[in-house]
Amino acid sequence: GKVMKKGLKRTVLIILTLVMLLQVPITASALTTNSTTFSDVNQSSWYYDDLNKLSTLGIVNGYPDGTFKPENTLTRGEFIKMLTMVAEIWSDKKLTGVHWAESDWNALNDNGLLEVSTGYNSSGTLFPCTVAALDMPIKRYEMAYLINAVLYMSFYENQMVLKDTADSFANHIGDYNGMDLGYRTAIEQCYAKGILTGDTDTYFWGESNLKRSEAVAVIVRLAWKSARKTISWAVEKEVVVDTSFTSFAFQYRSMTN
């Protein structure tokens, strides 16, 4: 009887300790602690701080050999896993086992973040939940579309407009006039928000596959406003919103920005 009581007390103590640990808020110092290092990433790398932050939080991982491979492409499945983690959205839909990222696809789809107009594919979504689709490298076009969807449908941020009505997004996005019209609005918003900047000539290169180094940068800028680039040519469009409901993800970001 005494042994069982001791065992029970120990179990209760462990549970209480875990509960208290889970309730401790993440501090700024915790977000910048370098708990993970990669043999192929230097502290001088332009994406180092972003990678450090996400790896510390367990949002990104390296390869078994200790590398990060920043120039490697990212699959759609890998990107939407990162996206659902920072957006803190989920789905209760029963899994079929079609793919390891099925729950992430369901989370995005159930929250309307994959819904697109005609012209993308017959399913009415940005891409279907199949092995072939989720294992395909994600294009920068698709990345921008999803980032924009989270901005306004999950984080409820205001849209951006040009400060000068005589201005044009073509003055700030190098390949603006030649880009796919289906993604143009999303790219406009991502540039105006300071999440995307393009290359040295501000070109976006939407048909190119997203690199792992680029992915960590855009995810951090999406989740933390303080990490976004300062944009002087765009301002927020003031709109009337329903403030009766605020997502936990939005509250969390407000507390940590």
Side-chain angles (χ1 to χ4, degrees):
K2 289 184 179 180
V3 174
M4 289 182 65
K5 286 182 179 179
K6 280 186 177 180
L8 181 60
K9 286 182 179 179
R10 185 176 299 169
T11 302
V12 171
L13 183 60
I14 291 172
I15 293 173
L16 288 173
T17 302
L18 288 173
V19 169
M20 287 188 289
L21 284 173
L22 289 172
Q23 290 177 336
V24 175
I26 298 175
T27 62
S29 60
L31 292 176
T32 56
T33 300
N34 186 16
S35 62
T36 305
T37 57
F38 302 99
S39 60
D40 58 344
V41 176
N42 297 319
Q43 290 191 16
S44 59
S45 299
W46 67 269
Y47 54 88
Y48 175 80
D49 289 339
D50 299 326
L51 174 58
N52 183 36
K53 178 175 287 190
L54 295 187
S55 63
T56 300
L57 294 174
I59 296 173
V60 295
N61 297 301
Y63 290 89
D65 64 357
T67 62
F68 177 66
K69 298 186 182 354
E71 294 299 304
N72 276 19
T73 58
L74 203 73
T75 67
R76 288 165 167 170
E78 290 169 335
F79 185 72
I80 66 174
K81 166 62 72 176
M82 296 168 66
L83 205 58
T84 56
M85 289 181 75
V86 297
E88 293 186 318
I89 55 177
W90 59 88
S91 170
D92 294 327
K93 187 174 293 182
K94 185 177 180 180
L95 300 179
T96 65
V98 65
H99 192 275
W100 63 264
E102 179 185 4
S103 62
D104 302 296
W105 188 93
N106 286 342
L108 293 175
N109 192 52
D110 290 356
N111 284 277
L113 304 184
L114 286 173
E115 185 177 346
V116 295
S117 57
T118 56
Y120 292 84
N121 60 67
S122 58
S123 68
T125 58
L126 190 61
F127 44 81
C129 187
T130 64
V131 172
L134 294 176
D135 283 348
M136 187 177 293
I138 188 167
K139 293 188 179 299
R140 288 171 57 83
Y141 271 143
E142 296 168 334
M143 171 271 292
Y145 194 97
L146 291 171
I147 291 290
N148 185 59
V150 170
L151 276 173
Y152 301 112
M153 298 178 70
S154 184
F155 291 165
Y156 306 109
E157 291 193 15
N158 290 343
Q159 287 192 317
M160 304 295 288
V161 294
L162 293 167
K163 183 181 292 186
D164 185 350
T165 55
D167 196 3
S168 168
F169 279 100
N171 295 328
H172 309 285
I173 306 174
D175 49 353
Y176 182 80
N177 292 325
M179 65 177 46
D180 189 322
L181 294 179
Y183 299 99
R184 183 178 279 181
T185 298
I187 295 165
E188 288 175 353
Q189 293 301 307
C190 288
Y191 267 74
K193 287 282 186 182
I195 295 174
L196 298 177
T197 57
D199 63 10
T200 53
D201 296 317
T202 71
Y203 275 62
F204 179 62
W205 304 110
E207 284 292 345
S208 299
N209 294 329
L210 184 68
K211 296 177 182 177
R212 287 168 60 83
S213 56
E214 296 168 339
V216 296
V218 296
I219 288 292
V220 166
R221 292 172 195 168
L222 167 67
W224 286 272
K225 283 186 176 182
S226 58
R228 297 178 189 177
K229 304 301 180 182
T230 301
I231 303 298
S232 61
W233 46 265
V235 293
E236 277 194 356
K237 178 181 179 181
E238 294 297 333
V239 294
V240 178
V241 295
D242 179 10
T243 58
S244 61
F245 171 76
T246 305
S247 71
F248 176 76
F250 183 83
Q251 295 177 47
Y252 174 78
R253 290 171 64 254
S254 297
M255 289 188 291
T256 56
N257 280 340

